[in-house]
Amino acid sequence: MTESEHIIDASERKLFDWKELLFYKELFYFFTWRDIKIKYKQTVLGFMWAILQPLLMMTIFTLFFGKALNIPSQNLPYPVFVFSGLLIWTIFSSGLTNASNSMVNNAQIIKKIYFPRLIIPVSSILGALFDFLMAFILYIGILIYYQQPVSLHAFWCWPVALLVTIVATLGPGSWLAALNVKYRDFRYVIPFLVQVLFFLTPVIYPISMLTHPWLRYLLVVSPMYAAIELFRMPITGIVPQPEFIIISLGSGVLLLLIGLTYFRKTEDLFADFA
Amino acid sequence: MKPILEIQSISKRYRIQHLAGGYLSLRERMVNALKFEKNNMEDFWALKDVSFEVQPGESIGIIGRNGAGKSTLLKILSKITPPTTGRIVSRGRIASLLEVGTGFHPELTGRENIFFNGSLLGMKRKEIDKKFDEIVDFSGTEKFLDTPLKHYSSGMQLRLAFSVAAFLEPEILIIDEVLAVGDAEFQKKCLGKMEDVSKSGRTILFVSHNMAAVREMCQKTILMNKGRCELIGPSTDVIEMYLKNGMVQACYEGERKQDSPYIEKVYSINSSGELGTSFLNEDEIAVCIKTQNTGSVINLSLGLALRDRLGNKLFTTTKKYLAEQGDKLHTVTIPGKLLLSGNYSVDVAIFIPNGSVYDYARECIAIRVDDFESDMAVYSSADIGVINVPCTWT
């Protein structure tokens, strides 16, 4: 970019400046790398926490919901059912939480150096993907332990489910990140929001448990619904209702557009407000 | 040749909350919100219609008082905040050092911090790999490369931070006062490195209060005042102009009073006996006060108070004197090694203890102190207070 002219003014920016993002591509890596490094510094168990956390959650949910309340689990052993859900849900919950706080946490950097701000929330979501990969190894172990057959659809279902999760996380994540810079109130809203969404998404129960059809339509608005159903499809063999998937995907894409637009519109002011 | 940087009438407006009677209560806020009242916001123009051009290879100094808009200008040039109006055309890659060690994390090791910080400053990974040894060498921290940064001394942290920045190779380098920290020896090293950079044909914009450094490094200097670009020209001329203008305000001249003692003049002089407002930490600061008495009261006290930049009084010192008719010169010497880096102001008063005050010159002169030598010098950018007290630690 030596010879090209570059203009700095107050004009509006494009929703996606691919050229610029590409120029700074290494920063995605470095931010993600730093977040992961810092997260496990000075811990004895280190990366093991990425495996232990979902394992403990699975045990608790199995005891309370599987054994005590006898929640149906789409013909799967309840631990397998709940772990597959938790695995993909954790990307969303920790990704969303990290992304929402990311701009405020990196305020010192934002005030002193320019780079595309979007790198910060995106990297914090990529950091959550790392934990997913660790826990995924355990997931394979659990599948083998329960001798759970997996259909070949897994080869496309799992990657697509991951992609859907990232889209579902990035939309609200970037939106909340931008809002959090201006109104710190959101810091307190986020944990509550994540908790509510957890119960509104069929992670620990199947959607078939809800008998009222309108209730189902309400749940599938959650962008995470499609991700979880797709991720479980290879082991349950149950094909989810197409209109449910479409609603869920649509809501994910809509939230992504809203989130990114708001982020890009307010991005310029971050340094003044942070 | 086309200029590498064209700044075309840049202005920057900030909205500041204007509170008439102290704090607004929550109820008042809500009432205001309901009335859609916005009149408690006041516009503040941090920059007003600033234009200049920079030719490739030029080193330009930017000077001015605090609040003149220097930092805002750099922030806009670095794309951290957009201008309200106007535009900038740049024909090269800009890297800015508004702070050394941005993004340094105490939990990461020296090695890890070099990579993260370097990448933030716009270096490619390969570039960092290539220069890694040089960076480490320059910083002199090779022994601690794999130690978390939190175990480094602050001096070491600073050296490491500057070393990463020193190996940046952008076409345009923007530097904000980063050299005002660190021990004298390392500062020299940094200045040397920057001169190398400017000699290698790169363009530098350098904001500083250190006039000697600006004069040495930059052929051209811009003087900013109240958000405007007041003067552009050869460094020596602009700096001289700036110091001369500063000098006028460095000397306070009081109003003549009839039948009363009053303060005629207040000024500060440096160790070589010249008028000056800029001191080093180790310098003694001599404040000269010339009093006049046209009245008949003769048993008076003279007081001097020093304020920090926020206007807090740091201390007061007084002396009783016999004020006979006519003028009298008093010199107050503030000991060296007392004040840390910062801007200070002086109040002078003539009074009778627990009685009437005859004359009071509030914040009549300004003093600037730079600290490169004391133990606290490395913390200059942090909130460490303003007084250097020689405490004993055991």
Side-chain angles (χ1 to χ4, degrees), chain A:
Chain A
M1 35 201 272
T2 317
E3 284 306 310
S4 68
E5 282 191 6
H6 193 87
I7 289 172
I8 305 170
D9 59 10
S11 65
E12 291 251 327
R13 295 188 181 164
K14 286 186 278 183
L15 185 54
F16 267 117
D17 192 341
W18 292 111
K19 217 174 115 186
E20 196 186 34
L21 285 176
L22 207 66
F23 182 78
Y24 282 96
K25 61 179 183 293
E26 281 187 348
L27 259 192
F28 284 100
Y29 165 79
F30 275 113
F31 264 104
T32 312
W33 169 85
R34 183 198 65 161
D35 286 351
I36 296 169
K37 280 254 170 180
I38 292 167
K39 194 170 169 189
Y40 296 111
K41 282 263 162 151
Q42 248 186 37
T43 57
V44 178
L45 293 179
F47 296 146
M48 286 299 289
W49 280 111
I51 296 175
L52 277 173
Q53 277 171 327
L55 190 66
L56 292 172
M57 291 283 275
M58 178 192 85
T59 315
I60 290 165
F61 284 124
T62 305
L63 286 177
F64 285 91
F65 292 90
K67 291 266 189 303
L69 291 176
N70 241 330
I71 299 227
S73 51
Q74 296 179 322
N75 304 324
L76 295 173
Y78 190 79
V80 177
F81 173 80
V82 81
F83 196 83
S84 59
L86 279 173
L87 198 53
I88 207 93
W89 172 262
T90 310
I91 305 177
F92 177 77
S93 68
S94 59
L96 185 67
T97 311
N98 294 348
S100 307
N101 293 319
S102 60
M103 297 309 288
V104 175
N105 291 343
N106 288 299
Q108 276 313 312
I109 300 180
I110 294 167
K111 281 190 217 171
K112 296 292 180 189
I113 286 184
Y114 174 78
F115 51 86
R117 304 313 192 195
L118 200 57
I119 292 177
I120 291 183
V122 170
S123 301
S124 55
I125 293 170
L126 294 180
L129 270 186
F130 174 82
D131 283 2
F132 165 82
L133 289 178
M134 291 285 134
F136 189 76
I137 299 168
L138 178 67
Y139 181 53
I140 301 290
I142 289 175
L143 290 181
I144 293 169
Y145 178 80
Y146 283 97
Q147 298 181 338
Q148 177 64 46
V150 181
S151 97
L152 281 177
H153 288 306
F155 284 105
W156 68 268
C157 278
W158 286 348
V160 170
L162 267 187
L163 190 71
V164 173
T165 308
I166 293 171
V167 168
T169 315
L170 185 57
S174 54
W175 194 2
L176 287 169
L179 283 168
N180 209 356
V181 173
K182 210 169 170 187
Y183 310 100
R184 297 293 151 88
D185 310 76
F186 282 91
R187 188 180 283 247
Y188 306 103
V189 175
I190 293 153
F192 180 69
L193 186 77
V194 169
Q195 199 68 39
V196 170
L197 280 173
F198 177 71
F199 291 111
L200 286 181
T201 310
V203 181
I204 53 172
Y205 59 87
I207 192 152
S208 54
M209 240 186 101
L210 302 167
T211 40
H212 199 291
W214 287 110
L215 217 49
R216 287 191 189 182
Y217 276 108
L218 184 74
L219 290 205
V220 299
V221 172
S222 159
M224 278 307 287
Y225 169 77
I228 286 186
E229 288 292 18
L230 279 169
F231 191 72
R232 272 190 192 138
M233 212 174 89
I235 51 171
T236 55
I238 298 170
V239 180
Q241 271 175 267
E243 72 260 35
F244 284 178
I245 296 291
I246 287 166
I247 293 173
S248 175
L249 288 180
S251 119
V253 171
L254 185 71
L255 279 170
L256 181 72
L257 287 177
I258 296 175
L260 287 181
T261 312
Y262 187 81
F263 190 91
R264 294 289 286 173
K265 268 211 145 80
T266 49
E267 178 176 28
D268 279 342
L269 302 171
F270 288 169
D272 296 338
F273 277 107

Side-chain angles (χ1 to χ4, degrees), chain B residues 35 43 55 63 160 254 393:
Chain B
K35 284 192 208 154
D43 281 354
Q55 299 298 331
I63 58 173
L160 186 69
W393 283 73

Side-chain angles (χ1 to χ4, degrees), chain B residues 304-307 312-317 334-335 338-339 387:
Chain B
L304 175 145
L306 192 76
R307 294 176 186 268
N312 301 314
K313 263 189 197 162
L314 300 176
F315 63 79
T316 303
T317 168
I334 301 170
L338 174 72
L339 299 175
I387 304 285

Side-chain angles (χ1 to χ4, degrees), chain B residues 100 158 177-183 186-187 372 377-381:
Chain B
V100 284
L158 197 82
E177 201 71 74
V178 283
L179 295 167
V181 281
D183 53 87
F186 190 70
Q187 269 201 25
F372 305 122
V378 292
Y379 304 109
S380 291
S381 57

Side-chain angles (χ1 to χ4, degrees), chain B residues 89-274:
Chain B
V89 181
S90 77
R91 299 189 176 85
R93 179 177 155 202
I94 301 180
S96 53
L97 280 179
L98 301 197
E99 173 189 72
V100 284
T102 307
F104 264 28
H105 199 285
E107 296 289 345
L108 297 179
T109 67
R111 183 190 306 276
E112 290 163 346
N113 271 308
I114 291 179
F115 274 94
F116 184 64
N117 182 247
S119 155
L120 263 181
L121 292 173
M123 285 196 234
K124 297 275 156 238
R125 206 178 160 179
K126 273 191 203 146
E127 224 177 313
I128 306 174
D129 271 329
K130 214 173 73 192
K131 293 180 187 155
F132 189 79
D133 292 338
E134 275 183 277
I135 293 175
V136 174
D137 211 41
F138 191 82
S139 71
T141 57
E142 48 281 82
K143 264 195 249 163
F144 307 95
L145 260 189
D146 294 302
T147 312
L149 199 73
K150 59 182 172 183
H151 301 310
Y152 279 42
S153 75
S154 51
M156 271 163 60
Q157 289 191 17
L158 197 82
R159 286 211 298 276
L160 186 69
F162 191 87
S163 306
V164 182
F167 288 88
L168 272 176
E169 284 181 348
E171 280 111 19
I172 306 164
L173 186 61
I174 295 176
I175 306 169
D176 187 8
E177 201 71 74
V178 283
L179 295 167
V181 281
D183 53 87
E185 195 195 339
F186 190 70
Q187 269 201 25
K188 240 190 203 161
K189 206 170 161 187
C190 297
L191 274 175
K193 181 81 194 165
M194 276 174 53
E195 264 174 71
D196 289 351
V197 171
S198 79
K199 272 180 199 140
S200 70
R202 255 167 279 147
T203 311
I204 296 182
L205 289 185
F206 178 45
V207 165
S208 183
H209 284 116
N210 183 344
M211 295 302 145
V214 172
R215 193 178 293 151
E216 202 164 310
M217 280 192 36
C218 313
Q219 307 90 14
K220 224 164 137 185
T221 294
I222 294 171
L223 171 61
M224 299 212 38
N225 189 18
K226 290 179 184 155
R228 285 170 197 276
C229 202
E230 200 162 82
L231 194 63
I232 305 178
S235 295
T236 0
D237 299 356
V238 175
I239 290 172
E240 198 183 327
M241 185 77 189
Y242 173 58
L243 291 179
K244 214 162 69 191
N245 280 347
M247 216 61 99
V248 177
Q249 275 141 336
C251 182
Y252 165 86
E253 282 179 49
E255 266 174 56
R256 211 186 141 74
K257 289 187 185 182
Q258 291 295 325
D259 298 325
S260 159
Y262 68 92
I263 303 159
E264 190 181 316
K265 239 178 189 179
V266 183
Y267 53 91
S268 55
I269 53 176
N270 60 25
S271 50
S272 40
E274 294 163 342

